[in-house]
């Protein structure tokens, strides 16, 4: 057994001892990307981290993904604009917002991006925003709670509760 593997085993045992009240809950974790090379890299890294049984990586576009159950949490890390033209980037972020709104009501979506213009094109009101750094890039990590209907209807439903 290698030194790093032994250290990893010790670490895992320490973490497990600190979490005695935790229950084993099976939650599907999916990693999706349209780039087949990114999926291959993700699968290789999942195998190296011994997480391939917990996370499924698949090639799929966000707009092609099936609808989500209410209460689902999504973490989305779209392109920031280094490789896409501005118009393509804005269209991508508009598609993300429209897809969240119409195909994923009741979802908690977290989006990480350094593209201010892209984030503005999502068209949804964030519940919260936090600044995080992805390397040297200052990014916004925004939380969106999706719902059915209009913002006005949602505020009325919340007031009636």
């Amino acid at each position: 057994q290698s030194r790093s593997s032994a250290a990893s085993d010790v670490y895992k045992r320490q973490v497990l001892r600190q979490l005695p009240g935790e229950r084993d809950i099976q939650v599907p974790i999916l990693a999706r990307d349209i780039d087949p090379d990114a999926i291959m890299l993700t699968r290789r890294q999942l195998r190296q981290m011994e997480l391939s049984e917990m996370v499924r990586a698949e090639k799929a576009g966000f707009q092609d993904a099936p609808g989500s159950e209410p209460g689902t949490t999504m973490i989305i890390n779209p392109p920031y604009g280094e490789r896409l033209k501005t118009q393509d980037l804005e269209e991508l972020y508009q598609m993300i917002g429209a897809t969240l709104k119409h195909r994923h009501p009741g979802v908690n979506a977290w989006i990480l991006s350094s593209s201010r213009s892209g984030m503005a094109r999502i068209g949804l009101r964030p519940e919260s925003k936090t600044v995080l750094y992805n390397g040297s890039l200052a990014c916004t990590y925004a939380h969106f709670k999706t719902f059915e209907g209009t913002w006005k209807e949602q505020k009325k439903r919340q007031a009636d509760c």
Side-chain angles (χ1 to χ4, degrees):
Q1 187 175 21
S2 73
R3 185 176 295 198
S4 65
S5 177
S8 175
D9 289 346
V10 169
Y11 175 75
K12 286 177 187 175
R13 285 193 300 274
Q14 288 173 339
V15 169
L16 290 174
R17 276 197 299 272
Q18 293 174 14
L19 302 172
E22 294 289 318
R23 294 177 292 156
D24 185 26
I25 298 174
Q26 297 299 317
V27 177
I29 301 174
L30 305 173
R32 291 190 176 120
D33 201 301
I34 59 172
D35 181 353
D37 292 334
I39 293 300
M40 283 187 351
L41 178 62
T42 300
R43 287 178 178 154
R44 184 175 45 215
Q45 290 173 335
L46 288 168
R47 280 191 303 275
Q48 289 172 350
M49 295 184 300
E50 300 176 3
L51 295 173
S52 45
E53 297 298 318
M54 294 175 63
V55 181
R56 186 173 78 226
E58 57 189 37
K59 182 182 177 295
F62 182 68
Q63 70 276 15
D64 301 323
S68 302
E69 291 184 31
T72 297
T73 297
M74 292 183 177
I75 300 172
I76 305 168
N77 185 9
Y80 302 162
E82 283 73 35
R83 295 175 303 223
L84 289 178
K85 296 178 195 163
T86 302
Q87 181 180 356
D88 294 339
L89 185 73
E90 290 176 354
E91 288 174 5
L92 172 67
Y93 280 75
Q94 284 176 328
M95 178 277 297
I96 289 171
T99 302
L100 283 171
K101 173 73 177 151
H102 299 291
R103 299 206 45 213
H104 303 282
V107 162
N108 286 292
W110 294 84
I111 301 177
L112 176 69
S113 179
S114 70
S115 173
R116 288 185 182 185
S117 64
M119 292 295 275
R121 293 294 184 142
I122 288 178
L124 303 173
R125 185 176 295 177
E127 291 281 317
S128 65
K129 292 188 213 177
T130 304
V131 175
L132 298 177
Y133 284 85
N134 186 358
S136 64
L137 288 175
C139 297
T140 300
Y141 192 48
H143 177 213
F144 299 90
K145 284 187 174 183
T146 62
F147 51 85
E148 290 188 36
T150 66
W151 178 251
K152 187 176 182 179
E153 293 167 343
Q154 176 67 6
K155 292 304 265 181
K156 184 175 179 344
R157 282 192 294 268
Q158 288 175 341
D160 291 344
C161 290

